């Protein structure tokens, strides 16, 4: 049985730009869910872990880069709910604070070259194909069950919103939010900010999970700043200014790009006056540990 009470309030934030453009901006503070199983990580893991427990699986096997928030969340969740965990790490062997935390939570790490890493199902079959107790969790937690967990965010909202913004990596969170809006029959517009260059694949990733794109769905492709975990001085400056001005910590890989996109769209008058906006803080703040030299 998985029991986990969490806290994720909606917090209004203030900025001169919001007042100038006559909008109200709120943040869904999923970063407060847990120090390590934070943000959308718990939402994406909730149902896969329940399925693993139901089917008597004992070893969670998943994938990520050397600074992966998902690896750390899975490691912590495994320790919390009584699973062994195994993480395949993309690239050469490295030693960093996030991987040390994974190890502290009991995760066994295997480093694989980037070519082998591309076929995650094959990696799983090679190493765990004969292990009936092993349970596959895709990179970033991407799955139909992950989208189901993320869809529940919509039912938690205490206010109606005209627009919801979220950063996108694999597309599972965006898929879940769109599913939640469709199930609730809301007209709220969903704005997705892919953090990878060439983020058009997100549309296919969402439809592959069985969710139909509709008029609620909007994608903004121009805020990746060069690609995944890539930054530019203007993004770093924005993260510093936003964090100092709001007291809410964001980072340059996901949430920084999302908030930057909002400010840019407001400055371009692409959002009408009088609108109520919600931005989903997807957590992942331990990723800052690998980027502190940029600040």
């Amino acid at each position: 049985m998985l029991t986990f009470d969490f806290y994720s309030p909606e917090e209004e934030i203030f900025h001169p730009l919001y007042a100038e453009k006559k909008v109200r901006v709120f943040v869904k503070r999923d970063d407060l869910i847990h120090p390590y199983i934070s943000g959308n990580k718990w939402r994406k893991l909730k149902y896969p872990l329940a399925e693993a427990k139901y089917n008597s699986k004992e070893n969670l096997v998943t994938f990520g880069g050397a600074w992966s928030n998902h690896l750390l969340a899975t490691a912590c969740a495994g320790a919390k709910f009584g699973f062994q965990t195994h993480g395949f790490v993309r690239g050469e062997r490295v030693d960093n604070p996030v991987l040390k935390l994974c190890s502290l939570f009991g995760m066994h790490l295997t480093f694989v070259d980037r070519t082998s890493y591309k076929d995650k199902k094959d990696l799983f079959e090679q190493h765990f194909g004969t292990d009936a107790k092993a349970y596959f969790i895709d990179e970033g937690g991407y799955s139909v069950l992950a989208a189901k967990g993320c869809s529940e965010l919509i039912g938690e909202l205490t206010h109606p919103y005209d627009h919801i913004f979220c950063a996108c990596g694999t597309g599972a969170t965006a898929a879940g939010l769109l599913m939640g809006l469709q199930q609730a029959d809301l007209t709220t517009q969903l704005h997705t900010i892919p953090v990878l260059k060439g983020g058009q694949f997100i549309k296919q990733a969402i439809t592959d999970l069985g969710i139909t794109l509709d008029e609620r769905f909007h994608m903004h492709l121009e805020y990746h700043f060069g690609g995944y975990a890539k930054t530019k001085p203007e993004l770093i400056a924005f993260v510093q200014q936003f964090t100092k001005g709001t007291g809410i910590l964001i980072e340059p890989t996901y949430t920084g790009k999302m908030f930057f996109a909002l400010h840019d769209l407001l400055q371009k008058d692409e959002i009408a006056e009088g609108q109520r906006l919600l931005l989903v803080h997807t957590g992942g703040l331990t990723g800052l540990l690998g980027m502190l030299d940029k600040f």
Side-chain angles (χ1 to χ4, degrees), residues 233-271:
E234 61 181 320
L235 177 61
I236 296 300
F238 176 84
V239 169
Q240 290 176 309
Q241 292 163 5
F242 179 90
T243 299
K244 180 180 179 180
T246 64
I248 296 176
L249 187 62
I250 59 175
E251 40 67 49
T253 303
Y254 290 98
T255 50
K257 294 178 180 180
M258 175 186 66
F259 278 102
F260 186 99
L262 168 66
H263 281 228
D264 191 55
L265 292 169
L266 285 172
Q267 288 166 342
K268 293 176 179 176
D269 292 320
E270 295 190 21
I271 296 174

Side-chain angles (χ1 to χ4, degrees), residues 40 44 167-173 193-196 201-202 205 228 254:
N40 56 351
K44 290 193 285 186
C168 291
T170 65
T173 300
I193 316 298
V195 300
L196 289 81
F201 77 91
I202 294 290
Y228 183 72
Y254 290 98

Side-chain angles (χ1 to χ4, degrees), residues 25-226:
V25 177
F26 296 77
V27 182
K28 179 65 166 160
R29 296 293 307 274
D30 272 11
D31 56 311
L32 298 179
I33 286 176
H34 189 275
Y36 304 109
I37 321 171
S38 80
N40 56 351
K41 292 25 169 216
W42 166 247
R43 296 187 188 278
K44 290 193 285 186
L45 286 171
K46 175 182 176 180
Y47 287 108
L49 265 60
E51 180 180 75
K53 186 71 74 173
Y54 179 80
N55 289 308
S56 300
K57 304 294 185 180
E58 296 177 356
N59 190 8
L60 309 176
V61 180
T62 195
F63 310 80
W67 293 94
S68 170
N69 299 303
H70 167 71
L71 283 180
L72 179 53
T74 305
C76 182
K80 183 175 182 65
F81 297 113
F83 294 98
Q84 300 172 38
T85 54
H86 190 108
F88 286 98
V89 186
R90 179 183 64 250
E92 64 281 354
R93 179 175 293 276
V94 295
D95 188 15
N96 68 41
V98 169
L99 295 180
K100 281 187 178 294
L101 287 171
C102 289
S103 296
L104 277 172
F105 283 121
M107 176 174 274
H108 180 78
L109 301 173
T110 299
F111 293 84
V112 296
D113 65 83
R114 294 173 186 274
T115 300
S116 301
Y117 184 84
K118 290 179 181 178
D119 194 337
K120 298 167 189 63
K121 286 286 190 181
D122 185 62
L123 275 175
F124 180 82
E125 287 301 321
Q126 284 183 36
H127 293 262
F128 295 97
T130 60
D131 184 356
K133 297 295 186 180
Y135 183 85
F136 176 91
I137 300 177
D138 209 343
E139 183 175 23
Y142 175 84
S143 70
V144 171
L145 291 177
K148 178 182 178 182
C150 291
S151 73
E152 295 177 346
L153 182 150
I154 300 300
E156 297 171 14
L157 300 180
T158 58
H159 301 287
Y161 293 96
D162 300 294
H163 304 270
I164 294 177
F165 284 72
C166 77
C168 291
T170 65
T173 300
L177 294 174
L178 183 57
M179 180 197 303
L181 292 173
Q182 292 171 345
Q183 290 174 342
D185 197 24
L186 296 173
T187 59
T188 305
Q189 302 298 292
L190 176 64
H191 298 263
T192 58
I193 316 298
V195 300
L196 289 81
K197 193 173 183 178
Q200 296 93 334
F201 77 91
I202 294 290
K203 289 184 177 180
Q204 187 62 51
I206 291 173
T207 57
D208 285 347
L209 295 178
I211 295 127
T212 302
L213 300 176
D214 59 27
E215 70 284 351
R216 283 169 276 228
F217 181 82
H218 306 273
M219 182 180 289
H220 304 278
L221 295 169
E222 61 270 36
Y223 300 107
H224 55 75
F225 287 88

